[in-house]
Amino acid sequence: MGARHGGALSARYVAGTSPVHRLAPQVKLVAVLAYALVVVATPVHAGWAPWAYAGYLLAVLAAAAVAGVRPGRLAAGLVVETPFVVFALLLPFVTRGPRVEVLGLSLSESGLQTGGALLAKATLSVLAATVLAATTEPRELMHGLERLRLPSALVQILGFMIRYVDVVSGELHRMRVARESRAFDGRRRGALRVVGAAAGALFIRSYERGERVHLAMLSRGYTGRLPRGPVAAVPSRDWLTGLSLPLAAGAVLATGMLLG
Amino acid sequence: MSTAPSLLVEDVAFAYPDGHQALFGVDLRIEPGERVALLGPNGAGKTTLVLHLNGILRPGRGSISVAGLPVTKQNLREIRSRVGIVFQDPDDQLFMPTVGEDVAFGPRNLGLPEAEVAARVATALEQVGMGGYADRPPHHLSFGQRRRVAVATVLSMHPEILVLDEPSSNLDPAGRRELAEVLESLPVTLLMVTHDLPYAMQLCPRSVVLDAGAVVADAGTRELLADQQLLAAHRLELPYGFDPTRT
């Protein structure tokens, strides 16, 4: 078996029974999206912006604490943010306008502000998304999206991705082992052609698997819609609990707007 | 004739769109409760025939009926609940996020009420010895377990006839035996496509040999496997040391 235990996607999930774990997935999805919107809506050049970021950070850390997501897990989630960090670090150097001296470097003042805001907003949003991923299984997320009326075709594609990512990565792994078993060296000249051919082969295999899966689905009466199981209504108390995160962030934003 | 046969294939011929003729007039009749092995070399048309049984492919000539119901476009939904095909690779068959949802896929497509779906899922998983695995994702299971769950995914549709494509492939000896025990315990008509001649002998009293798109032999499995000339003529070989007259 090529797939590691647990699979690549569910590796982000941390099993638990916290109040956050027990919330319906659609509630959590809406909460994280609303939170990110509030964070992004914060004016970049306002003097009180750093205080607002601190407030948002407090809110998301509180949510993480309730969910039992440990700091290490949160930090690991931030890895996806790396491209933003690089971009944010470049901004003070390339933006024009008044300059300030920091550690002997001449940096753009507005570049520093913009870069800092970008970094803060991205970090906060990723933190919220990490709490979501750590407390919700991938298939639960899928159910949540379905209940939020995301088009059924998109949800099905996501579902198949969740199901087959380990199968396909297992295939990829076996192809690599087979290559290397015949003394293939990825660093040699011309290696790219071989890897390209392997990618092509993997694509064709996956395409053929898609056809076989479709056949198996038709054989069991598939007519274009994935049948749904029972759908339980979400009590309004759960919505309130879930939305307390964006509401807290919203309160911080409103306070800043009014006082600042 | 008091009851209709589980499966009746009459003079079925089929050519693929590219012109390759795969079946040349196949006749096959399987009575309720029979267990039949469909043998034949690669490229004989076995899989093509299987895909005709539930109307995925439509014959160019001839007809098929399942328990008296002809395979036509109007009957497709009913036909697909009557013919349960278990494909060779369980990863193709198990496409839902959990075992339970996968076994529920067929019954839900049939539009059954949720209570009935739940009961069928529980029974089907119990029948293949996988009760208690409903919430597990398929990739957590061993290959043999996945194959048995694949059988459950069609059992939950209460099929008239169970069609298995190479059920013993890639199984370790224990997995082979466990699957055989499950298949023997099921009260359904069985058609098993296989290269595994001892497995055919263990499970199916009757065998049909398909070669070059036509049925070339139809007899008791034991006598058929003892006919060395027949086997040799159709690229079928017994494993070394296996003697069908002694087991």
Side-chain angles (χ1 to χ4, degrees), chain B residues 33 37 42 53 72 111 147 155 159 166 169 184 210 229 235 242:
Chain B
N42 285 337
L53 304 183
T72 61
R147 169 107 357 114
L155 282 181
E166 294 290 355
S169 65
E184 271 187 318
L210 192 72
Q229 265 186 322
R235 289 184 61 82
F242 182 81

Side-chain angles (χ1 to χ4, degrees), chain A residues 26 54 90 115 120 127 129 132 137 141 147 190-192 196 224:
Chain A
Q26 63 266 43
L90 274 177
L127 283 177
L132 173 69
E137 281 192 272
L141 276 177
R147 273 166 226 166
L192 213 56

Side-chain angles (χ1 to χ4, degrees), chain B residues 154-173:
Chain B
V154 299
L155 282 181
S156 63
M157 299 178 80
H158 291 182
E160 165 79 24
I161 178 166
L162 193 61
V163 182
L164 300 149
D165 193 359
E166 294 290 355
S168 61
S169 65
N170 290 328
L171 289 182
D172 57 17

Side-chain angles (χ1 to χ4, degrees), chain B residues 28-52:
Chain B
L28 181 62
R29 182 190 174 101
I30 299 179
E31 300 298 336
E34 265 196 292
R35 288 207 296 265
V36 179
L38 181 62
L39 313 174
N42 285 337
K46 303 188 298 287
T47 303
T48 306
L49 179 60
V50 164
L51 293 179
H52 275 80

Side-chain angles (χ1 to χ4, degrees), chain B residues 35-129:
Chain B
R35 288 207 296 265
V36 179
L38 181 62
L39 313 174
N42 285 337
K46 303 188 298 287
T47 303
T48 306
L49 179 60
V50 164
L51 293 179
H52 275 80
L53 304 183
N54 70 350
I56 298 264
L57 296 178
R58 316 299 305 278
R61 188 185 79 207
S63 68
I64 299 155
S65 62
V66 180
L69 186 74
V71 178
T72 61
K73 212 167 186 169
Q74 295 82 355
N75 296 338
L76 226 46
R77 193 162 112 151
E78 176 62 22
I79 286 295
R80 285 179 183 167
S81 77
R82 290 190 185 189
V83 180
I85 301 185
V86 180
F87 291 92
Q88 190 172 349
D89 185 346
D91 277 331
D92 294 345
Q93 183 106 18
L94 308 176
F95 44 78
M96 297 293 276
T98 63
V99 166
E101 284 176 87
D102 216 300
V103 179
F105 179 82
R108 282 184 182 146
N109 279 329
L110 298 179
L112 297 173
E114 210 42 50
E116 168 78 6
V117 171
R120 284 193 180 199
V121 169
T123 313
L125 284 175
E126 213 54 62
Q127 277 179 301
V128 300

Side-chain angles (χ1 to χ4, degrees), chain A residues 1 6-7 139 143 160 163-164 166-167 209 212-213 215-222 226-230, chain B residues 54 56 80 87 89 91-98 101-102 105-106 108-109 114 138-141 153 157:
Chain A
M1 282 179 50
R139 66 190 171 93
H143 288 313
F160 289 128
R163 168 64 183 90
Y164 286 104
D166 292 310
V167 174
R209 180 181 298 281
R212 291 198 304 273
V213 171
L215 217 59
M217 292 172 75
L218 287 179
S219 297
R220 285 197 276 149
Y222 176 71
L226 277 193
R228 278 192 216 182
Chain B
N54 70 350
I56 298 264
R80 285 179 183 167
F87 291 92
D89 185 346
D91 277 331
D92 294 345
Q93 183 106 18
L94 308 176
F95 44 78
M96 297 293 276
T98 63
E101 284 176 87
D102 216 300
F105 179 82
R108 282 184 182 146
N109 279 329
E114 210 42 50
H139 65 254
H140 282 193
L141 307 180
T153 64
M157 299 178 80

